[in-house]
Amino acid sequence: MTIQFNDETFRGDYSFKNSDWAIQRFPFPFHEDSYMYSVNMEQHRGGPKGSIYEKRFDVDEHYLAEMRDRAMVLDDDPLRCQSLPHMTLAGWDLLELIMVSKSEDYPDLFELHRNGDQWRWINKPMGIDDSFTFLDAATLPYGPMEYITRQAQGDFAVLDQRDDNLWMDAGMITTQADWSLDFDIGMNFFEWHAPVPLAHEKGIFVRALKFLLNIQQGAPARRLNWTMTVNPLLDTSPENYHKWGVQKTEITPENIGSKQHLRVELQTFFRLPRSNALVFPIRCYLCNFQDLMSMPKWGRRLHRVIRDLPEELATYKGFIDNRPMMLDYLEKFDDGLPTSPGIWPEFETEPPLQK
Amino acid sequence: MSKFEFPKSILSRPVWGTLEPRRGLHHLMIADAEGAEAILDVATPEMMESAHIIFIPKGTDYAKRLRALNPAQFYDGPSYAASVTRIQRVLLGAKMSTQVYLSGTESLMGQAMLECTNAGIPHTAIQTEHRGSTARRMQCVHCKGFTEDVAIDPFVCSHCGLNLFVRDHYSRRYAAYQGVCVDAEDPGNVPPSKGIYP
Ligand code: HEM
């Protein structure tokens, strides 16, 4: 199908919205009625047709608006995209991975023509047609990582692998859930995860790192993570927290359905061939409460998850103060009926709300 | 002199050790303020024959006692910032057989450590020991400016003036802890400052 790209904003008037298609394929992150951190990783080998798992790099109706937002963030703060000097080769690996994947998975939108090291890349939605020499940075308007991630939705952390650890040595981070690339760059897996509560004690990061170190080329993996964001704001950075933090207090019982968004990250992991680095794309999907409630299963489940979430997690994710108001809203969509297992909405088979 | 026991913290926070004499052809010792005591404790006459001590007194009067150790080279600097090009120059000439000793405030050790790793000194050749003030070098996550000697939480960023709370999240690349706006969600409501450690 051809995608209709939305003309929308993630700031100011916040005109972002999800079509019915986007709501149906939203990656609801809860496969059961409760949530706790776990080593929730699986192979990234496609998924149901039309789902966000189907392609290696999902492209959706928000593509152009997200790329415009990224360009604005970078104009304001170039430190959101950084690459330590030894990471340039990994940047080329990433450029190749994205160009090859997108041109194969979306041939109507992207084309890659290769003749030895002479490459031509056509990005139709963004109106880009560039010819360059692979591995020669002087032939591109930006470094390779920056060039390609200005054309790909989601954040990208590029990890160097050495000393049995992963090091965050490069990244394009403009849609982050409140962490700073500029501060974390150069840290290892345990250091950048240091602020996360409970998970270290449960041994989750030790096991997760072991899994990641063994990821092979051509066998990517994935997981979902989630948090809450008021307004469809992509740039919830610590850098700008003194500007956006106050929006969290602008939630009222009247506007919570449209303003409060569940923010879900589809995180994938790919081994890169030349550099042996690991790339960690973090793709952010936003959906407001009222759109989520159009799926009876999600309504029932979200209420139960938020109600029973440990206080440490609600605090870390930054919504502890708003939780009571969220529950007042969500409770109306929970009639106590059981829910089917799995993340998919099962709209056809799940009983309608009995309230 | 009793040493401060830092409370258990998150994994990005550095852990400091205790200096001990090591064998080496050269000994580079960098200290500020009470950090001098750790050097006085570890120094031996053989070590001093090939030692270079870089000391920033920060208002203390340890310099005389350090000089009396008779190190091969002694430098008494007015501030860390003033001494940093000298440190870089010394590290440039440092041999594989150089042992590094850092002592004093976290700010000094963190910044000097960074110079050492940038110069390729293996971490196994670097020892640290905290002495004296527990004040921190803080980076404002908003304006990126550094504020030195922060002992209270929250504090005012010396660059942009925002009221920041003190996190334990630490960046070795910046040798600093992270400061984040404390009243973003309720502008003007700044809790009274307390010491970072109870
Ligand atoms: C190598 C790729 C990864 C990168 C670059 C990465 C990066 C991050 C960052 C920057 C944070 C925010 C920490 C903060 O508060 O400052 C975070 C949070 C977290 N990460 Fe990772 N991570 C990676 C892989 C994983 C894996 C494989 C797991 C598997 C369990 C995991 C579990 C978590 C959890 C549970 C949180 C807390 C999230 C929340 O509650 O919202 N991460 N990660």
Side-chain angles (χ1 to χ4, degrees):
Chain A
M1 66 167 271
T2 44
I3 304 167
Q4 287 293 322
F5 297 108
N6 300 348
D7 185 8
E8 60 188 1
T9 55
F10 297 91
R11 54 178 74 204
D13 63 354
Y14 292 112
S15 62
F16 164 91
K17 63 176 179 20
N18 284 307
S19 66
D20 290 344
W21 174 68
I23 297 168
Q24 283 157 27
R25 71 200 295 278
F26 183 75
F28 189 74
F30 308 113
H31 62 90
E32 57 187 7
D33 287 355
S34 64
Y35 178 81
M36 188 41 179
Y37 292 147
S38 63
V39 187
N40 55 335
M41 280 186 279
E42 60 179 10
Q43 294 304 312
H44 183 37
R45 270 193 304 242
K49 201 166 160 35
S51 77
I52 53 113
Y53 286 153
E54 186 185 5
K55 314 286 200 207
R56 284 165 283 185
F57 295 92
D58 184 46
V59 176
D60 69 9
E61 64 194 31
H62 307 298
Y63 179 43
L64 293 180
E66 285 187 28
M67 293 302 96
R68 279 194 295 269
D69 196 73
R70 164 157 296 160
M72 286 187 257
V73 172
L74 291 170
D75 283 347
D76 287 346
D77 182 2
L79 294 174
R80 304 301 187 82
C81 177
Q82 296 190 50
S83 176
L84 298 182
H86 61 279
M87 296 304 282
T88 307
L89 185 61
W92 285 108
D93 277 335
L94 177 61
L95 174 142
E96 177 187 52
L97 175 69
I98 294 177
M99 287 186 178
V100 169
S101 304
K102 282 192 161 183
S103 58
E104 287 174 1
D105 293 352
Y106 299 92
D108 51 333
L109 300 180
F110 305 98
E111 288 176 27
L112 178 63
H113 304 278
R114 287 182 285 185
N115 180 7
D117 63 1
Q118 297 306 301
W119 292 26
R120 179 173 172 209
W121 165 247
I122 303 173
N123 175 339
K124 291 183 193 162
M126 290 183 75
I128 291 170
D129 182 343
D130 283 338
S131 295
F132 61 96
T133 306
F134 188 68
L135 295 178
D136 179 359
T139 60
L140 284 176
Y142 304 100
M145 178 189 74
E146 178 167 0
Y147 177 77
I148 197 59
T149 57
R150 279 175 176 267
Q151 302 178 45
Q153 285 167 277
D155 283 348
F156 293 82
V158 188
L159 300 320
D160 194 27
Q161 182 159 328
R162 56 179 196 270
D163 305 335
D164 281 332
N165 213 325
L166 293 169
W167 303 82
M168 195 185 291
D169 286 349
M172 166 67 90
I173 307 290
T174 66
T175 70
Q176 65 288 273
D178 208 1
W179 64 277
S180 166
L181 171 72
D182 182 48
F183 194 76
D184 286 4
I185 194 167
M187 290 189 190
N188 69 35
F189 191 78
F190 299 111
E191 291 169 340
W192 80 63
H193 279 122
V196 180
L198 305 180
H200 293 274
E201 296 86 318
K202 289 172 178 290
I204 285 174
F205 290 123
V206 172
R207 276 179 289 142
L209 176 62
K210 214 167 168 181
F211 182 97
L212 296 180
L213 293 176
N214 288 313
I215 284 180
Q216 305 295 317
Q217 200 192 322
R222 69 185 174 216
R223 66 184 289 266
L224 295 175
N225 188 45
W226 67 279
T227 188
M228 291 285 178
T229 303
V230 174
N231 290 325
L233 175 62
L234 280 179
D235 179 26
T236 46
S237 57
E239 278 82 356
N240 284 330
Y241 170 65
H242 59 308
K243 300 176 190 157
W244 60 263
V246 71
Q247 295 180 22
K248 290 206 234 170
T249 64
E250 290 163 5
I251 288 277
T252 65
E254 290 70 42
N255 67 23
I256 187 167
S258 60
K259 259 182 170 323
Q260 181 63 59
H261 290 69
L262 179 60
R263 180 187 193 107
V264 179
E265 294 174 348
L266 168 59
Q267 308 181 335
T268 49
F269 309 88
F270 295 82
R271 176 71 58 198
L272 297 175
R274 298 171 189 78
S275 57
N276 198 42
L278 196 74
V279 64
F280 180 56
I282 312 160
R283 175 63 187 281
C284 171
Y285 295 85
L286 294 162
C287 188
N288 67 21
F289 273 16
Q290 73 198 21
D291 287 346
L292 287 169
M293 296 304 111
S294 64
M295 302 294 173
K297 173 176 165 183
W298 291 353
R300 293 181 179 107
R301 180 164 291 167
L302 189 60
H303 173 247
R304 296 168 198 177
V305 168
I306 300 305
R307 180 192 61 202
D308 301 336
L309 193 74
E311 202 159 299
E312 291 94 329
L313 269 69
T315 304
Y316 173 76
K317 290 172 187 285
F319 65 87
I320 190 84
D321 291 346
N322 285 339
R323 174 150 76 172
M325 206 189 295
M326 287 179 184
L327 291 176
D328 285 346
Y329 176 88
L330 293 171
E331 180 189 63
K332 301 196 277 281
F333 298 90
D334 186 0
D335 51 19
L337 289 185
T339 53
S340 58
I343 64 171
W344 310 110
E346 319 286 358
F347 188 72
E348 312 300 329
T349 48
E350 211 78 357
L353 182 68
Q354 313 283 306
K355 239 176 167 176
Chain B
M1 191 77 199
S2 72
K3 277 179 63 175
F4 183 76
E5 286 285 327
F6 289 103
K8 198 171 159 4
S9 183
I10 65 176
L11 288 172
S12 56
R13 193 190 199 304
V15 177
W16 313 109
T18 304
L19 300 187
E20 45 183 68
R22 291 229 182 116
R23 295 168 59 87
L25 293 182
H26 299 273
H27 301 271
L28 174 61
M29 315 183 101
I30 308 175
D32 68 354
E34 283 81 7
E37 290 175 0
I39 294 189
L40 291 165
D41 287 353
V42 80
T44 61
E46 307 90 86
M47 196 193 261
M48 287 301 116
E49 284 171 21
S50 58
H52 185 163
I53 299 181
I54 293 178
F55 181 58
I56 294 106
K58 290 187 103 178
T60 62
D61 52 10
Y62 291 98
K64 240 176 48 210
R65 289 170 62 197
L66 287 175
R67 203 185 284 275
L69 293 171
N70 256 329
Q73 275 173 279
F74 183 75
Y75 167 79
D76 175 346
S79 68
Y80 178 79
S83 72
V84 72
T85 47
R86 180 186 182 98
I87 291 173
Q88 287 164 347
R89 173 63 189 86
V90 172
L91 287 169
L92 209 62
K95 308 261 170 2
M96 281 308 286
S97 52
T98 299
Q99 288 291 332
V100 179
Y101 307 76
L102 310 175
S103 63
T105 63
E106 293 194 282
S107 171
L108 173 113
M109 291 188 287
Q111 292 181 85
M113 175 83 84
L114 188 62
E115 296 300 338
C116 292
T117 37
N118 286 346
I121 306 277
H123 66 91
T124 47
I126 308 170
Q127 300 184 67
T128 60
E129 180 165 342
H130 174 261
R131 292 281 182 119
S133 166
T134 57
R136 298 183 180 189
R137 171 176 152 91
M138 300 294 308
Q139 186 189 32
C140 173
V141 75
H142 311 293
C143 80
K144 309 287 180 184
F146 296 93
T147 303
E148 292 286 347
D149 296 319
V150 173
I152 54 169
D153 176 23
F155 70 101
V156 176
C157 174
S158 62
H159 303 264
C160 69
L162 284 175
N163 291 287
L164 307 178
F165 69 92
V166 172
R167 292 189 78 192
D168 278 352
H169 199 27
Y170 181 87
S171 161
R172 279 181 286 111
R173 198 175 67 108
Y174 281 137
Y177 293 90
Q178 192 176 63
V180 179
C181 183
V182 70
D183 59 338
E185 298 181 27
D186 190 0
N189 184 7
V190 179
S193 295
K194 299 186 302 226
I196 291 175
Y197 301 98

